[in-house]
Amino acid sequence: MRAFIGVLVLILTSSGSALAQSKDAAYYCVADAAGGLKYNESMKKWEGASFRPEAKFALRMNFLRARVQKEEYSSLVAEEQVSDYTVTVTTSGSNTGVDCISQYPSKTVTVYVSGNFRCYTAVTEYIFNVRTNRFLAISRVGYVGGEDNNDNTPSIQGGTCTKID
Protein backbone atom coordinates (compact mmCIF):
# COMPACT_ATOMS: atom_id res chain seq x y z
CA MET A 1 0.00 0.00 0.00
CA ARG A 2 2.86 2.41 0.81
CA ALA A 3 4.43 1.64 -2.57
CA PHE A 4 1.11 2.47 -4.28
CA ILE A 5 0.81 5.77 -2.38
CA GLY A 6 4.43 6.59 -3.21
CA VAL A 7 3.84 5.97 -6.93
CA LEU A 8 0.63 8.04 -6.81
CA VAL A 9 2.44 10.96 -5.16
CA LEU A 10 5.24 10.68 -7.75
CA ILE A 11 2.75 10.76 -10.63
CA LEU A 12 0.87 13.75 -9.21
CA THR A 13 4.08 15.63 -8.51
CA SER A 14 5.55 15.01 -11.96
CA SER A 15 2.33 15.98 -13.78
CA GLY A 16 2.22 19.24 -11.85
CA SER A 17 5.86 19.99 -12.62
CA ALA A 18 5.33 19.22 -16.31
CA LEU A 19 2.71 21.94 -16.42
CA ALA A 20 5.00 24.28 -14.49
CA GLN A 21 7.59 23.97 -17.27
CA SER A 22 5.50 26.29 -19.44
CA LYS A 23 7.58 29.11 -20.84
CA ASP A 24 7.49 32.40 -22.69
CA ALA A 25 6.43 32.21 -26.33
CA ALA A 26 6.22 34.47 -29.36
CA TYR A 27 4.30 34.15 -32.62
CA TYR A 28 4.02 36.09 -35.87
CA CYS A 29 0.39 36.18 -37.01
CA VAL A 30 -1.04 37.02 -40.44
CA ALA A 31 -4.71 37.22 -41.45
CA ASP A 32 -5.84 35.02 -44.35
CA ALA A 33 -9.49 36.15 -44.62
CA ALA A 34 -11.62 39.10 -43.50
CA GLY A 35 -15.23 40.22 -43.63
CA GLY A 36 -17.75 42.34 -41.81
CA LEU A 37 -20.23 45.17 -42.31
CA LYS A 38 -19.96 48.25 -44.51
CA TYR A 39 -22.31 51.11 -45.19
CA ASN A 40 -23.62 51.28 -48.76
CA GLU A 41 -24.00 55.01 -49.49
CA SER A 42 -26.20 54.55 -52.57
CA MET A 43 -28.60 52.10 -50.85
CA LYS A 44 -28.44 53.97 -47.51
CA LYS A 45 -28.03 50.72 -45.57
CA TRP A 46 -25.46 48.45 -43.99
CA GLU A 47 -24.57 45.19 -45.72
CA GLY A 48 -22.15 42.30 -45.44
CA ALA A 49 -18.78 42.77 -47.07
CA SER A 50 -15.56 40.98 -47.83
CA PHE A 51 -12.44 42.93 -46.80
CA ARG A 52 -8.77 42.64 -47.63
CA PRO A 53 -7.08 40.81 -44.73
CA GLU A 54 -4.70 43.28 -43.12
CA ALA A 55 -3.85 41.94 -39.66
CA LYS A 56 -0.13 41.27 -39.22
CA PHE A 57 1.28 41.30 -35.73
CA ALA A 58 3.61 39.71 -33.22
CA LEU A 59 2.01 37.99 -30.24
CA ARG A 60 4.21 37.75 -27.13
CA MET A 61 3.26 35.58 -24.17
CA ASN A 62 5.19 35.96 -20.90
CA PHE A 63 4.66 33.01 -18.59
CA LEU A 64 3.55 33.81 -15.04
CA ARG A 65 2.44 30.54 -13.44
CA ALA A 66 0.73 27.19 -13.85
CA ARG A 67 -2.24 26.37 -11.65
CA VAL A 68 -5.35 24.26 -11.26
CA GLN A 69 -8.62 26.06 -11.95
CA LYS A 70 -11.94 24.80 -10.64
CA GLU A 71 -15.03 25.16 -12.83
CA GLU A 72 -18.58 24.44 -11.76
CA TYR A 73 -21.03 23.08 -14.31
CA SER A 74 -24.50 22.58 -12.83
CA SER A 75 -23.82 20.22 -9.94
CA LEU A 76 -20.43 19.04 -11.25
CA VAL A 77 -17.08 20.51 -10.24
CA ALA A 78 -14.20 19.98 -12.65
CA GLU A 79 -10.54 20.84 -12.25
CA GLU A 80 -8.40 21.88 -15.19
CA GLN A 81 -4.71 22.67 -15.37
CA VAL A 82 -4.18 26.13 -16.88
CA SER A 83 -1.30 28.54 -17.42
CA ASP A 84 -1.37 32.28 -16.80
CA TYR A 85 0.47 34.77 -19.02
CA THR A 86 0.78 38.45 -19.73
CA VAL A 87 0.21 39.02 -23.43
CA THR A 88 1.18 41.83 -25.80
CA VAL A 89 0.32 42.44 -29.44
CA THR A 90 2.72 44.43 -31.62
CA THR A 91 1.38 45.50 -35.00
CA SER A 92 3.71 44.82 -37.91
CA GLY A 93 5.89 47.88 -38.51
CA SER A 94 5.65 49.05 -34.90
CA ASN A 95 8.17 48.78 -32.09
CA THR A 96 5.63 49.17 -29.29
CA GLY A 97 3.48 46.35 -27.98
CA VAL A 98 -0.03 46.86 -26.60
CA ASP A 99 -1.27 44.90 -23.58
CA CYS A 100 -3.86 42.30 -24.49
CA ILE A 101 -5.83 41.76 -21.28
CA SER A 102 -8.42 39.24 -20.13
CA GLN A 103 -12.07 40.17 -20.31
CA TYR A 104 -11.96 40.77 -16.59
CA PRO A 105 -9.94 43.91 -15.94
CA SER A 106 -6.71 42.03 -15.43
CA LYS A 107 -3.48 41.80 -17.38
CA THR A 108 -3.38 38.08 -16.64
CA VAL A 109 -4.61 35.92 -19.52
CA THR A 110 -5.45 32.26 -18.90
CA VAL A 111 -4.45 29.64 -21.48
CA TYR A 112 -6.40 26.39 -21.24
CA VAL A 113 -5.18 22.85 -21.93
CA SER A 114 -6.91 23.03 -25.33
CA GLY A 115 -4.55 25.89 -26.25
CA ASN A 116 -7.39 28.44 -26.39
CA PHE A 117 -7.30 31.89 -24.89
CA ARG A 118 -9.00 35.23 -25.44
CA CYS A 119 -7.75 38.75 -24.81
CA TYR A 120 -8.66 42.34 -25.62
CA THR A 121 -6.89 45.52 -26.70
CA ALA A 122 -8.67 48.90 -26.86
CA VAL A 123 -10.81 48.05 -29.91
CA THR A 124 -9.98 44.46 -30.87
CA GLU A 125 -10.93 41.13 -29.33
CA TYR A 126 -8.47 38.32 -30.09
CA ILE A 127 -9.14 34.61 -29.86
CA PHE A 128 -6.10 32.35 -30.19
CA ASN A 129 -5.33 28.67 -30.16
CA VAL A 130 -1.62 28.03 -29.70
CA ARG A 131 -2.05 24.32 -30.54
CA THR A 132 -3.66 24.91 -33.97
CA ASN A 133 -1.82 28.24 -34.52
CA ARG A 134 -5.05 29.95 -35.57
CA PHE A 135 -6.52 33.28 -34.51
CA LEU A 136 -9.54 35.53 -34.91
CA ALA A 137 -9.29 39.32 -34.59
CA ILE A 138 -12.65 41.00 -34.08
CA SER A 139 -13.11 44.75 -34.39
CA ARG A 140 -16.41 45.60 -32.68
CA VAL A 141 -16.47 49.36 -33.29
CA GLY A 142 -18.92 51.11 -35.58
CA TYR A 143 -22.49 50.34 -36.67
CA VAL A 144 -24.04 50.10 -33.19
CA GLY A 145 -23.21 53.75 -32.41
CA GLY A 146 -25.57 54.91 -35.18
CA GLU A 147 -22.99 56.48 -37.50
CA ASP A 148 -23.95 55.61 -41.05
CA ASN A 149 -20.56 55.81 -42.75
CA ASN A 150 -17.50 53.65 -43.26
CA ASP A 151 -15.24 55.38 -40.73
CA ASN A 152 -15.60 52.44 -38.33
CA THR A 153 -16.78 49.18 -39.80
CA PRO A 154 -17.17 46.07 -37.64
CA SER A 155 -15.01 43.26 -38.97
CA ILE A 156 -13.53 39.88 -38.25
CA GLN A 157 -10.22 38.55 -39.55
CA GLY A 158 -8.98 34.99 -39.33
CA GLY A 159 -5.50 33.72 -39.89
CA THR A 160 -2.55 31.70 -38.73
CA CYS A 161 0.41 32.25 -36.42
CA THR A 162 3.95 30.94 -36.70
CA LYS A 163 6.00 30.38 -33.56
CA ILE A 164 9.11 32.58 -33.70
CA ASP A 165 11.02 31.82 -30.53
Side-chain angles (χ1 to χ4, degrees), residues 16-94:
S17 64
L19 180 64
Q21 291 176 4
S22 297
K23 60 181 182 171
D24 296 350
Y27 297 84
Y28 184 67
C29 304
V30 177
D32 299 319
L37 298 176
K38 74 174 183 176
Y39 188 70
N40 184 323
E41 291 286 341
S42 62
M43 301 286 290
K44 301 292 183 209
K45 69 176 192 170
W46 286 86
E47 54 190 22
S50 178
F51 296 133
R52 184 173 359 134
E54 295 178 351
K56 293 180 183 177
F57 58 91
L59 169 71
R60 298 205 186 284
M61 303 170 61
N62 296 312
F63 178 72
L64 298 174
R65 70 188 139 299
R67 62 184 174 82
V68 175
Q69 179 170 297
K70 292 184 180 183
E71 297 284 338
E72 291 188 38
Y73 305 98
S74 300
S75 61
L76 300 174
V77 176
E79 290 185 352
E80 180 177 12
Q81 292 184 345
V82 298
S83 296
D84 291 335
Y85 291 83
T86 55
V87 176
T88 58
V89 173
T90 306
T91 305
S92 187
S94 173

Side-chain angles (χ1 to χ4, degrees), residues 50-164:
S50 178
F51 296 133
R52 184 173 359 134
E54 295 178 351
K56 293 180 183 177
F57 58 91
L59 169 71
R60 298 205 186 284
M61 303 170 61
N62 296 312
F63 178 72
L64 298 174
R65 70 188 139 299
R67 62 184 174 82
V68 175
Q69 179 170 297
K70 292 184 180 183
E71 297 284 338
E72 291 188 38
Y73 305 98
S74 300
S75 61
L76 300 174
V77 176
E79 290 185 352
E80 180 177 12
Q81 292 184 345
V82 298
S83 296
D84 291 335
Y85 291 83
T86 55
V87 176
T88 58
V89 173
T90 306
T91 305
S92 187
S94 173
N95 291 327
T96 307
V98 176
D99 289 335
C100 199
I101 63 174
S102 79
Q103 74 184 61
Y104 313 104
S106 168
K107 286 189 175 187
T108 302
V109 174
T110 301
V111 179
Y112 296 89
V113 173
S114 63
N116 286 331
F117 71 95
R118 177 181 308 236
C119 64
Y120 303 81
T121 61
V123 295
T124 305
E125 173 185 359
Y126 292 96
I127 303 169
F128 294 98
N129 186 305
V130 292
R131 290 187 187 267
T132 63
N133 292 333
R134 293 183 180 180
F135 77 91
L136 293 174
I138 305 161
S139 175
R140 300 178 293 166
V141 297
Y143 180 71
V144 176
E147 301 87 22
D148 290 334
N149 58 49
N150 287 311
D151 291 341
N152 289 310
T153 56
S155 66
I156 183 169
Q157 298 187 63
T160 56
C161 300
T162 302
K163 195 167 187 178
I164 57 175

